[in-house]
Amino acid sequence: MSQTPYTFEYEIKASPKVLYPYLSSPSGLQQWFADKVIVRGSSELHFYWDNENHPALVLPGKANKSVKFDFKRGDSEPGKHIIELSLDVSEVSNTTYLSIIDGASTFKTDADAEELWDYLIDKLKEIVGS
């Protein structure tokens, strides 16, 4: 059973250089995205929510632009449960947008997915003063 990834876009009043560490570093992610983030090896992070461990490989991205996490789930193939966070700046308005593609989460409804990501992004905006 394959699910369609959830896709969201948020305007954030901060530069990619300010935002990127919150998307790519364990300490930054721990401030808004997960309860706890631990580094294991050179490219593996362990995300904790409600004391449950969710290991993920950090896939190649672009500095100050994008980061991808491939969450491990049992015997599933690599690349099946990815969350991608991308930053883009509008050339017209000089506004920074955070795009999220969430192919790792499972929600009962689309509204549940939107509610969670809205909450997480509100936390991020509060941290960066947006």
Side-chain angles (χ1 to χ4, degrees), residues 112-125:
D112 289 346
E114 186 172 1
E115 183 178 340
L116 176 66
W117 279 106
D118 286 352
Y119 169 75
L120 291 171
I121 299 306
D122 283 347
K123 282 176 61 175
L124 177 61
K125 285 179 174 181

Side-chain angles (χ1 to χ4, degrees), residues 8-14 19 86-88 90 93-100 121-122 124-125 128 130:
F8 303 99
E9 185 173 84
Y10 297 91
E11 179 181 334
I12 302 184
K13 293 178 174 84
L19 287 170
S86 302
L87 297 169
D88 189 38
S90 168
S93 65
N94 202 31
T95 303
T96 302
Y97 293 94
L98 171 60
S99 297
I100 299 159
I121 299 306
D122 283 347
L124 177 61
K125 285 179 174 181
V128 299
S130 174

Side-chain angles (χ1 to χ4, degrees), residues 15 34-35 44 47 60 64-65 69 76 81 90-91 99 112 118 120 125 127:
S15 74
D35 298 334
E44 188 172 334
F47 293 86
N64 296 321
K65 187 81 173 156
F69 305 106
S76 69
H81 305 285
S90 168
E91 292 181 21
S99 297
D112 289 346
D118 286 352
L120 291 171
K125 285 179 174 181
I127 292 166

